[in-house]
């Protein structure tokens, strides 16, 4: 295992330029969107570290980069780093995008942060384009913050889409879940192998203990495990 872990770090989901293992999901979302049947409130659930947020950021880039230079590539499910929407999303400055997530040291997503979603949606969108709200780690919404979002989730505007990400090992509030169309994302062992090997640019997956693979099967966990073992 010839890896210099000092030169490798976990890349945040918003900076992942390539999407692996979710081709069928992605294409089905595109078909729904083109037929004007894409749900306005989508719940993406699955194991922690399985690439749900990466999938969301890629599809969001697809939606926002239409008619832009360096638009999203469906040939290989990749984002061009020179794309305008990608740069704005990375800097949290896209006028038609809002991210709601928990702070690392907070036990819950606080109500003040949830209310900022309402303020964002009350403003006019740039170029009358679609607006997107991404709620990551929705299991951290407490009763108060969730209740503040119920009305806008229950009655979203036509051009507004919510992507809500939930790690299935923790329960999301029923008041939120009942207002979503849920898509359960999962990766096959082969797709997990592809992601891990691509991350390190060599065949690492087959060197990992099979007990870990069978129990976790999460690309993020396995990548972190390889880095941890290398450091130790």
């Amino acid at each position: 295992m010839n890896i210099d872990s000092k030169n490798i770090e976990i890349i945040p989901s918003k900076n992942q330029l390539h999407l692996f293992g979710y081709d069928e999901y992605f294409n089905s979302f595109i078909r729904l969107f083109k037929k004007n049947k894409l749900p306005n409130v989508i719940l993406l659930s699955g194991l922690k570290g399985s690439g749900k947020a990466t999938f969301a950021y890629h599809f969001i880039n697809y939606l926002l980069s239409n008619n832009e230079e360096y638009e999203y590539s469906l040939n290989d499910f990749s984002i061009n780093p020179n794309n305008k929407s990608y740069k704005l999303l990375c800097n949290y400055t896209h006028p038609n995008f809002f991210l709601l997530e928990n702070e690392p040291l907070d036990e819950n997503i606080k109500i003040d942060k949830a209310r900022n979603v309402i303020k964002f949606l009350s403003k006019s969108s740039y170029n009358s384009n679609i607006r997107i709200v991404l709620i990551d780690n929705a299991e951290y919404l407490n009763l108060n913050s969730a209740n503040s979002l119920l009305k806008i989730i229950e009655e979203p505007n036509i051009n507004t889409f919510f992507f809500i990400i939930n790690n299935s090992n923790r329960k999301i509030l029923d008041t939120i879940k009942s207002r979503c169309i849920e898509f359960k994302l999962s990766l096959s062992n082969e797709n997990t192998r592809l992601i891990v090997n691509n991350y390190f640019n060599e065949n690492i997956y087959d060197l990992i203990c099979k007990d870990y693979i069978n129990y976790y099967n999460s690309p993020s966990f396995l990548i972190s495990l390889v880095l941890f073992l290398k450091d130790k």
Side-chain angles (χ1 to χ4, degrees):
M1 190 181 293
N2 185 22
I3 303 171
D4 183 0
S5 60
K6 294 181 180 179
N7 296 325
I8 298 177
E9 59 181 359
I10 300 296
I11 301 174
S13 298
K14 64 184 176 67
N15 300 116
Q16 294 277 3
L17 296 177
H18 296 276
L19 180 68
F20 298 100
Y22 288 123
D23 302 17
E24 292 184 9
Y25 289 101
F26 206 98
N27 286 327
S28 66
F29 272 40
I30 290 175
R31 288 193 294 270
L32 290 170
F33 177 72
K34 289 184 175 180
K35 293 179 180 179
N36 294 320
K37 293 184 177 180
L38 183 71
N40 289 89
V41 185
I42 294 173
L43 174 63
L44 302 175
S45 61
L47 290 176
K48 183 177 179 61
S50 58
K52 302 181 299 299
T54 300
F55 174 87
Y57 273 108
H58 272 250
F59 193 73
I60 289 168
N61 184 268
Y62 165 79
L63 295 176
L64 295 177
S65 69
N66 274 331
N67 302 318
E68 289 184 353
E69 190 176 10
Y70 310 113
E71 65 182 0
Y72 189 83
S73 173
L74 292 175
N75 292 327
D76 56 358
F77 299 97
S78 67
I79 298 172
N80 190 311
N82 294 315
N83 172 251
K84 178 182 178 181
S85 283
Y86 170 73
K87 293 179 179 179
L88 292 173
L89 285 171
C90 286
N91 293 321
Y92 304 107
T93 55
H94 199 293
N96 292 344
F97 173 79
F98 189 92
L99 172 66
L100 176 63
E101 62 179 349
N102 62 302
E103 296 295 336
L105 299 180
D106 289 343
E107 294 184 0
N108 297 296
I109 297 176
K110 297 180 179 178
I111 189 171
D112 290 343
K113 295 191 68 175
R115 286 171 174 165
N116 287 334
V117 177
I118 302 173
K119 294 179 182 178
F120 164 74
L121 293 176
S122 67
K123 301 177 182 177
S124 298
S125 66
Y126 178 70
N127 287 339
S128 300
N129 205 340
I130 61 175
R131 287 185 292 189
I132 297 172
V133 176
L134 174 61
I135 302 177
D136 200 1
N137 297 319
E139 62 272 15
Y140 285 94
L141 286 168
N142 60 27
L143 187 59
N144 290 330
S145 57
N147 285 341
S148 69
L149 297 173
L150 292 184
K151 183 174 178 58
I152 59 172
I153 289 178
E154 192 168 26
E155 301 175 359
N157 293 328
I158 295 176
N159 288 330
T160 299
F161 292 93
F162 288 83
F163 292 90
I164 302 175
I165 299 174
N166 170 234
N167 296 316
S168 58
N169 60 334
R170 291 192 59 178
K171 184 176 174 60
I172 188 175
L173 289 171
D174 289 335
T175 51
I176 294 292
K177 187 174 183 179
S178 63
R179 289 164 171 80
C180 305
I181 301 298
E182 183 177 14
F183 294 84
K184 297 181 180 181
L185 303 188
S186 61
L187 289 168
S188 66
N189 285 348
E190 188 57 39
N191 284 327
T192 300
R193 174 189 281 108
L194 176 64
I195 294 170
V196 173
N197 288 344
N198 178 78
Y199 201 99
F200 293 107
N201 200 29
E202 62 176 290
N203 185 16
I204 295 298
Y205 183 89
D206 292 334
L207 302 178
I208 301 173
C209 175
K210 294 300 183 290
D211 289 338
Y212 284 120
I213 291 175
N214 293 334
Y215 188 78
Y216 294 101
N217 197 30
S218 161
S220 179
F221 172 83
L222 296 177
I223 289 170
S224 298
L225 175 66
V226 171
L227 295 176
F228 173 79
L229 293 177
K230 179 64 179 177
D231 282 339
K232 300 301 179 183

